[in-house]
Amino acid sequence: MFQIGDKVLHQFNREFGPGEVISVGQGRMTVRFPRLGETLQFGLDDHAFVPLVLPAGTDPERWAEEWSDDLVERLLRREVDTLRALRNRLDALRLMEIREADGLGSYLGGRLRVFPHQIHVAEAACQTDPVRWLLADEVGLGKTVEACLILSRLLRTKRAERVMVIAPRTLAVQWLGELYRKFHQIFVLLDEERRNDVWKDMGAEFNPFEVHARSVVPLEDLVQDTRAQRAAIAARPDLLVIDEAHRLERRPGHPGSPAYRTVAPITGAARHALLLSATPLEADTHGFFRLLELLWPERFSSWETFQNQLREGIPLYPCTSSTRRIDIGGLPPRLGQRVELEEWPELEFRLGNTLAMPAARPLERHTREEAVQRSLAAPVPERDLRLEWILSEAPRWKRRREKSLLFVGERAALDFLKQELEFKLHQRVAVFHEDLSLAQRDLEVSQFAQPDGPSLLISTECGGEGRNFEFCRRLILFDLPWNAALVEQRIGRLDRISRTRPVEIVYFRPGSGFAREVAELYEALGIFKEPLGGLERSLTHVEAAIREAVHQPEPSLDLESILTESRELRARTHDGVYQHLHQNRYTAAHGPEIVARIPAELERLNEQVIVEACRQFGFEVVDRAEKRTWYIEFGALANIDDLSGISPGSRWLGTFDREAAVERETLDFFGAGHPLVEGVLDELTHGHRGQVALLSASGTKQRAHGLLLVLKRGATFEMVPIDLEGRVRNEWLPILRGESGRLTDLHPSRWNPPESFADLARAVLQHARQQATPVALAGVELLP
């Protein structure tokens, strides 16, 4: 019980400075804090206060001014924490060392399975300054993950604060979700409504991209809204990320597409920039050059020079990655499942679902193409053999809890199939189409992904770009688009790097007619067996040949002539004609070396530090039955008032196990970037807890006094034991680490160092500050 006149110190709010008790009564204690200039009341049962021991000779009139929070002065006042608190702090420093150093720790905080090639790319990019990089890996190999790894690294190392992500409108909300769910990053969707809110609420002079420093903005918004474009340029983001960058087209001698002209000045204003493109150098050399020109205009200033350098085999400036599946190896295959149909009912030029057109009737060119496309895509109300096949198989898929993604070319086909399937199967069918809001699309996908959710989802081409459906067992192509890029996009929704089972691709081939020839063409292209490897955007001649055939009296494809050009393009890409020009490119040989560098103790140490700190903070901490899963609550019994980024009352149910977090997204993942993890580490590394201690080590075969000084240099720290002669005694380290002997707390009343100790401690600390930052100090007593 404190008395009036006692000098005290608030352990967890040391910024208050020393205090003096001026009244006690009715369960309350009033404390005056001279340095704070305030008088505050506390409960008598508040255990945050400790007696303040003033050094001998302290001026009673100037005691508050002379009081010092220096590590040495705190030790000399015997104002110490426990060994447990010191160990927690040292473990936190070790954790931060792993995360901040040049190793891989800082890349491993996301809720995802990280693959060696992704780490390889992220490390290569982050070693440059500024980071201006073109991510051009094959579809499905995780370019978005690579971009997020780089983004997280730049944020964590303070190389970037203001980040802008530009993505197609259909992918903007998905980016928000990926950043939050997988990387604990909170971004704002800066669409037209949110931008207008900023200008309305704060004034026209405010820049929405500065008000919301981390944002995702739809590409279409910037193209259509010149005010938003000007604001984005003026914001000068530290990091700009542009998804689907192959959309930024600029032909020779042309100023570029509206998207290109919009994004180019923003890219120039940003310090760091990441462009994500699915098109390799071999497939679209000029398009690749234009993207490099956006990143490094002074290095890629001439298309002719670039062509000459390619012909001469001069390596590209190191700002690209173009990993292929063949470079990784071991990925699951594609399994094409052809369903033979006896016929394709009413196939010949049926318009929509009802009108049949005589072949002799003259048609406008675009009308005839539209008619044939619809005839190949639309279901037949009377009897559609494709629908009958799906109805026969769907109950079995449902029993096996298998998910199937069904693509259609037209919205009318989606509506018809949903109605028929739900009526005849007596089960809900999920949908994904352009008329749903972004939030509705996310909800449909989320429900579809649940184990007890719908087993079928029908999507238009709206779901073919950027979405990840790798959890699906199979893909069903109700029709075959004439554009090879659309077919590859559809398959790419399942054919992802994290997939562990073969990709089942169901497609329909009628017994005869134009639809059969289209199916045979794609079979010959091999699209049902292996990815096109970014080549799909260069196969425009395939679509052109199909469209040209439509206008023949009897539509037919010259497969051999189409395939000759396709085979040449595919061989060129498959062989990687320019692959050797990408410097430090990934190969399968890099994999084992990268895996070996992943810190084995990272997740366990992270769990140990955070759980122990939360217990010491007085949080409610409950070990749940699930693997490494904890319930943690910043409750009323906490002995700290706040934590950086976290408010009292916050609670979490989460896991420290990466695999468990990937499997169950309903759990928080307590990895790097999570608010609880970052708040705790900020408190442990910048707060006062565990900074000063008194230790007794027995069983050491010697008797001595000394100091344990903990120094931090950049990302690393070291423990330095020093005896009373000022000599470094590294042989004490196993004892002080608890590896030998018995280390315990030493009660302040039993700490009786020689008179020379104070001068030694002050001199040691003064000298240490010239080389590093002292972060902890302990008085040490060694006993036999």
Side-chain angles (χ1 to χ4, degrees):
M1 178 72 70
F2 291 105
Q3 306 295 323
I4 295 176
D6 285 350
K7 306 300 187 293
V8 296
L9 192 69
H10 198 291
Q11 298 181 81
F12 312 122
N13 289 288
R14 300 183 67 90
E15 64 275 10
F16 289 178
E20 180 180 16
V21 179
I22 60 176
S23 71
V24 178
Q26 298 182 343
R28 309 289 293 173
M29 178 174 70
T30 304
V31 182
R32 180 175 64 88
F33 296 97
R35 288 190 175 185
L36 189 64
E38 293 187 27
T39 299
L40 304 175
Q41 281 194 342
F42 302 88
L44 284 177
D45 58 350
D46 192 329
H47 301 295
F49 284 97
V50 294
L52 178 61
V53 179
L54 298 175
T58 299
D59 187 339
E61 301 297 324
R62 297 173 53 83
W63 64 272
E65 295 177 26
E66 293 181 0
W67 177 85
S68 171
D69 205 27
D70 182 84
L71 294 179
V72 170
E73 302 310 317
R74 287 164 60 187
L75 179 61
L76 295 178
R77 294 196 300 265
R78 293 168 172 76
E79 186 186 304
V80 296
D81 296 306
T82 63
L83 170 60
R84 181 182 169 195
L86 174 63
R87 280 178 169 165
N88 191 218
R89 187 180 189 88
L90 295 177
D91 287 342
L93 290 171
R94 169 61 181 152
L95 177 60
M96 295 296 290
E97 181 179 69
I98 294 174
R99 294 194 344 168
E100 294 178 9
D102 292 333
L104 302 183
S106 64
Y107 297 102
L108 302 175
R111 182 204 296 270
L112 73 164
R113 299 183 180 96
V114 181
F115 293 87
H117 75 278
Q118 296 169 340
I119 295 178
H120 177 85
V121 169
E123 281 195 302
C126 290
Q127 286 169 3
T128 63
D129 191 36
V131 178
R132 299 181 69 84
W133 206 267
L134 175 54
L135 301 170
D137 296 358
E138 281 187 14
V139 173
L141 296 189
K143 291 184 292 294
T144 301
V145 170
E146 292 170 352
C148 289
L149 290 174
I150 297 168
L151 180 155
S152 296
R153 170 71 175 184
L154 294 181
L155 290 176
R156 193 162 296 133
T157 55
K158 307 301 182 183
R159 293 171 65 186
E161 288 293 336
R162 296 168 293 117
V163 183
M164 185 187 307
V165 177
I166 300 177
R169 182 174 287 118
T170 55
L171 300 179
V173 173
Q174 183 177 337
W175 266 93
L176 288 176
E178 291 284 298
L179 286 164
Y180 179 72
R181 289 192 300 268
K182 295 183 177 178
F183 292 91
H184 315 295
Q185 298 291 346
I186 299 177
F187 277 61
V188 171
L189 178 61
L190 210 49
D191 56 8
E192 182 180 12
E193 180 179 1
R194 183 63 63 88
R195 297 193 302 272
N196 288 336
D197 284 344
V198 171
W199 286 319
K200 177 182 177 181
D201 298 340
M202 305 184 70
E205 70 277 13
F206 283 86
N207 189 329
F209 295 98
E210 293 175 352
V211 174
H212 301 289
R214 297 178 186 177
S215 62
V216 177
V217 58
L219 172 63
E220 296 85 346
D221 280 22
L222 295 175
V223 172
Q224 297 163 8
D225 186 344
T226 55
R227 186 182 184 187
Q229 179 190 354
R230 291 194 301 271
I233 297 170
R236 301 185 66 84
D238 298 324
L239 171 62
L240 176 68
V241 180
I242 304 176
D243 197 9
E244 302 291 325
H246 44 263
R247 297 187 178 198
L248 310 178
E249 299 174 340
R250 183 183 176 190
R251 302 189 307 275
H254 191 276
S257 65
Y260 182 96
R261 297 196 304 273
T262 297
V263 168
I266 306 174
T267 308
R271 173 169 177 75
H272 307 290
L274 300 175
L275 306 187
L276 284 65
S277 172
T279 305
L281 176 58
E282 290 83 358
D284 183 6
T285 304
H286 185 262
F288 204 90
F289 163 75
R290 287 302 189 190
L291 297 183
L292 293 175
E293 183 184 40
L294 280 177
L295 292 171
W296 297 98
E298 70 282 4
R299 297 182 182 277
F300 298 94
S301 58
S302 167
W303 166 233
E304 291 73 20
T305 301
F306 184 72
Q307 288 178 296
N308 291 335
Q309 290 175 338
L310 292 182
R311 283 192 290 268
E312 295 172 11
I314 299 175
L316 297 172
Y317 180 72
C319 65
T320 63
S321 57
S322 187
T323 309
R324 305 168 299 167
R325 290 170 184 265
I326 194 174
D327 300 325
I328 299 174
L331 299 180
R334 292 181 176 182
L335 298 179
Q337 181 181 351
R338 182 174 63 218
V339 179
E340 297 281 5
L341 303 179
E342 296 178 3
E343 59 180 343
W344 199 293
E346 298 187 18
L347 182 62
E348 295 304 323
F349 310 131
R350 192 171 47 76
L351 179 61
N353 293 333
T354 57
L355 300 178
M357 294 185 178
R361 179 179 175 181
L363 293 172
E364 295 279 345
R365 183 179 184 90
H366 70 277
T367 305
R368 187 179 182 89
E369 291 180 5
E370 180 184 85
V372 176
Q373 279 187 308
R374 289 184 176 179
S375 74
L376 301 182
V380 182
E382 309 87 63
R383 186 185 179 210
D384 192 303
L385 299 181
R386 296 168 293 180
L387 174 57
E388 290 184 4
W389 183 86
I390 295 171
L391 286 170
S392 68
E393 297 292 324
R396 179 170 57 87
W397 302 336
K398 180 71 173 178
R399 288 194 301 272
R400 295 180 178 177
R401 301 171 73 87
E402 297 172 353
K403 304 291 184 177
S404 300
L405 176 63
L406 173 60
F407 263 107
V408 296
E410 294 195 355
R411 171 66 190 282
L414 180 148
D415 292 337
F416 173 80
L417 288 173
K418 176 177 173 63
Q419 175 182 319
E420 290 294 305
L421 289 169
E422 288 187 335
F423 177 74
K424 295 179 179 178
L425 294 174
H426 306 290
Q427 64 186 51
R428 180 174 179 268
V429 174
V431 293
F432 192 100
H433 55 77
E434 47 281 338
D435 291 332
L436 294 176
S437 69
L438 297 178
Q440 288 174 316
R441 295 177 199 176
D442 281 350
L443 181 60
E444 287 287 310
V445 174
S446 176
Q447 292 176 345
F448 175 52
Q450 296 300 317
D452 57 350
S455 61
L456 272 169
L457 182 141
I458 310 174
S459 176
T460 61
E461 304 301 350
C462 177
E465 190 172 54
R467 285 282 170 176
N468 188 339
F469 288 98
E470 71 176 47
F471 58 86
C472 291
R473 178 63 176 264
R474 68 184 53 79
L475 174 73
I476 305 170
L477 302 173
F478 192 77
D479 54 65
L480 289 176
W482 295 349
N483 185 342
L486 292 181
V487 179
E488 182 64 35
Q489 277 187 4
R490 290 179 174 188
I491 301 173
R493 298 316 93 213
L494 275 68
D495 197 355
R496 317 293 292 182
I497 182 65
S498 299
R499 192 176 182 88
T500 57
R501 63 162 64 98
V503 182
E504 298 179 22
I505 306 167
V506 176
Y507 64 98
F508 301 95
R509 192 177 78 173
S512 61
F514 193 62
R516 180 183 180 89
E517 293 187 6
V518 173
E520 289 176 339
L521 171 61
Y522 285 132
E523 287 174 338
L525 285 173
I527 198 169
F528 303 128
K529 293 182 178 180
E530 61 179 343
L532 292 177
L535 185 64
E536 58 272 14
R537 297 183 183 277
S538 299
L539 295 180
T540 53
H541 70 285
V542 174
E543 182 178 2
I546 295 175
R547 293 186 179 279
E548 188 63 35
V550 168
H551 298 279
Q552 300 172 7
E554 295 293 333
S556 180
L557 294 173
D558 185 351
L559 294 181
E560 191 55 39
S561 63
I562 298 173
L563 291 172
T564 298
E565 183 176 354
S566 302
R567 291 188 186 108
E568 293 175 357
L569 284 168
R570 182 143 197 170
R572 181 176 176 179
T573 304
H574 187 273
D575 293 342
V577 175
Y578 299 130
Q579 189 68 9
H580 64 289
L581 301 184
H582 296 279
Q583 296 197 44
N584 193 27
R585 63 190 184 278
Y586 179 83
T587 66
H590 288 99
E593 182 270 333
I594 292 174
V595 171
R597 288 171 49 218
I598 295 177
E601 76 273 31
L602 178 62
E603 288 186 10
R604 286 290 180 185
L605 181 59
N606 185 52
E607 180 177 19
Q608 175 183 320
V609 169
I610 303 305
V611 170
E612 173 62 19
C614 287
R615 284 173 170 155
Q616 292 190 30
F617 294 166
F619 289 7
E620 183 179 354
V621 180
V622 181
D623 189 355
R624 300 293 295 266
E626 299 93 331
K627 182 179 181 182
R628 298 175 62 197
T629 300
W630 299 82
Y631 173 80
I632 300 176
E633 180 177 350
F634 187 170
L637 299 179
N639 54 39
I640 60 173
D641 293 335
D642 55 54
L643 211 55
S644 176
I646 296 174
S647 57
S650 299
R651 57 179 66 91
W652 306 266
L653 177 62
T655 180
F656 291 89
D657 184 81
R658 181 183 307 277
E659 290 298 321
V662 170
E663 293 296 327
R664 292 184 58 192
E665 288 203 353
T666 55
L667 293 175
D668 276 59
F669 177 46
F670 297 133
H674 188 280
L676 174 65
V677 173
E678 298 308 311
V680 167
L681 291 179
D682 181 73
E683 176 68 20
L684 290 178
T685 54
H686 296 102
H688 289 74
R689 184 187 301 267
Q691 279 191 320
V692 181
L694 285 174
L695 308 177
S696 176
S698 57
T700 63
K701 299 182 181 180
Q702 58 184 304
R703 183 181 295 275
H705 286 87
L707 281 172
L708 173 62
L709 181 62
V710 182
L711 299 175
K712 197 170 190 300
R713 293 185 177 90
T716 64
F717 82 99
E718 63 175 325
M719 298 168 60
V720 184
I722 301 172
D723 65 17
L724 292 182
E725 303 298 323
R727 296 171 298 189
V728 175
R729 302 293 296 270
N730 285 328
E731 67 271 21
W732 293 359
L733 282 175
I735 305 168
L736 298 176
R737 289 178 183 146
E739 298 169 3
S740 63
R742 181 170 177 266
L743 192 64
T744 61
D745 286 300
L746 176 63
H747 194 277
S749 63
R750 292 177 47 219
W751 172 243
N752 297 301
E755 293 183 1
S756 61
F757 181 82
D759 292 337
L760 170 68
R762 292 187 178 105
V764 165
L765 210 64
Q766 183 178 359
H767 178 73
R769 287 196 179 99
Q770 299 173 9
Q771 307 171 28
T773 302
V775 292
L777 182 69
V780 180
E781 177 188 72
L782 277 68
L783 301 172

